[in-house]
Amino acid sequence: GESDPNPLASIAHYRQQHRRTEDGYLCSAAGVKDRFVFTGCTDMPSPDGSSGRSWCYLEPQLKPTTTSSNWGYCAPAVDYNRLRDYL
């Protein structure tokens, strides 16, 4: 068979949330680090080796041209059900 030119595309549609970085950029649907595949944000050590904060790769098509980094720390997830209850 033909190989998929973007092997992460097959798992990207399983994204549970559309998360953003602290800078407001959209997180990539899926990523691979150290042979571990993940969707959205992950708690594994970041590309710079730091631990303790969730991070994600930036969505490639929306990555700002003003930054050379391809990842960022994740903003807290929004609990929309709780927010709707509040309103």
Side-chain angles (χ1 to χ4, degrees):
E2 242 179 84
S3 69
D4 187 349
N6 184 358
L8 293 179
S10 61
I11 66 163
H13 70 277
Y14 293 109
R15 173 175 17 196
Q16 298 294 310
Q17 299 176 324
H18 293 274
R19 297 282 302 271
R20 292 192 176 273
T21 66
E22 292 174 341
D23 297 331
Y25 300 114
L26 185 64
C27 289
S28 181
V32 177
K33 182 176 182 295
D34 300 330
R35 301 178 60 133
F36 177 76
V37 177
F38 60 92
T39 58
C41 297
T42 182
D43 291 325
M44 66 188 306
S46 64
D48 70 2
S50 60
S51 297
R53 295 175 70 187
S54 62
W55 64 276
C56 66
Y57 287 115
L58 302 180
E59 188 65 48
Q61 293 84 358
L62 303 175
K63 180 179 170 283
T65 56
T66 57
T67 182
S68 60
S69 180
N70 66 344
W71 67 276
Y73 290 111
C74 294
V78 177
D79 184 342
Y80 290 104
N81 290 327
R82 189 172 183 187
L83 185 60
R84 277 192 281 278
D85 290 344
Y86 178 74
L87 298 175

